[in-house]
Amino acid sequence: MRKPSSSPAAAGKAAPKTTPCCSKVGLKRGPWTPEEDELLASYIKKEGEGRWRTLPKKAGLLRCGKSCRLRWMNYLRPSVKRGQIAPDEEDLILRLHRLLGNRWSLIAGRIPGRTDNEIKNYWNTHLSKKLISQGIDPRTHKPLNTQSFDQSKPSSSQANLHQASLKEPIKIVSSALEETTSDSTHIISNKENEYYQNNINAHLDDQYHTDHILASHGYTNLLNYDGTSGVDLRGNQRLGNGEAEDIHTGTEDVFSFLNSLINEEAFQQHQIFNVPNVNSAQPSSDPLASIAATTFGLNTGWESTLMPSSVQQNDSK
DNA sequence: AAATCCGCCAACCGCCCTACC
DNA sequence: GGGTAGGGCGGTTGGCGGATT
């Protein structure tokens, strides 16, 4: 069974205070049985959600309230969509994660029928590995290392670069990479390497600029471009008692804003504003378009939006 | 066929917040 | 202001089942 308090979160901290809910003397743990599911579902159907600590006793369950809530939220709720994550959902998760970081509940709030737990699991088991295989840091969504990209596949043409998406990951490789030698660390030419470095920096500046744009629109502390968690939509606290409450407060604006980033119009703007221009990585004067361009640039392959044809042409020789 | 490995994901954990008294 | 209850969050664990040896 599980080791008690073995998680890093618990390690090295003062003696944890135990809330009543966490004293599980005599309570059942582990996988839920169909009978328990039935008891919980029928009780909530009659009495509604809430009062989780007293619910188990009233429902005749030997579970703690937290366990009941989790089971309901992640599995039994009628609105929960089961089954595989669709490609468009995956794409959305990637975009939202780059914007929001590990705010799983917030991400889940924009993907109907999916729970934060499900998205978190999918991220950890699929998407983070996928990004790593593309040479992208899943935490920051930035290139891990210009010399550590996947060299196992042949390079893409310029046209392909502009059609890039995460569904068909684009690898940053030059024609030289196709002539793989044992000294692979020096395969990317100095010219290309210098170019990558310059534009990575430009892109980082662009992201920094994006945050200031957001701040100017009142979306302070929304972004966390270093990829760490701990700050969210309320400044320094997590979302409170349910999204319903938030939807009627500031979060509604944030969701509207997110929607504006997700919709097709933003994609079209992205196409317009991401005309490759090696001499300028300046954001657009249109704040939303600039954010959209910056936000989606990496998702369509940062190299495709930043690398000029003069460099890309090396790709096809 | 049996043993081992490994990925997936349901469930648990501690922490933190707001609301209430 | 302090204590407690209720609830939500992200991080992590470990059982299970399929794949591999």
Side-chain angles (χ1 to χ4, degrees), chain A residues 217-232:
Chain A
H217 284 68
Y219 300 111
T220 55
N221 295 324
L222 171 62
L223 293 185
N224 210 5
Y225 51 84
D226 66 359
T228 59
S229 60
V231 183
D232 74 8

Side-chain angles (χ1 to χ4, degrees), chain A residues 9-28:
Chain A
K13 296 195 175 183
K17 57 183 178 185
T18 304
T19 63
C21 182
C22 298
S23 57
K24 299 184 174 62
V25 180
L27 295 182
K28 191 170 180 293

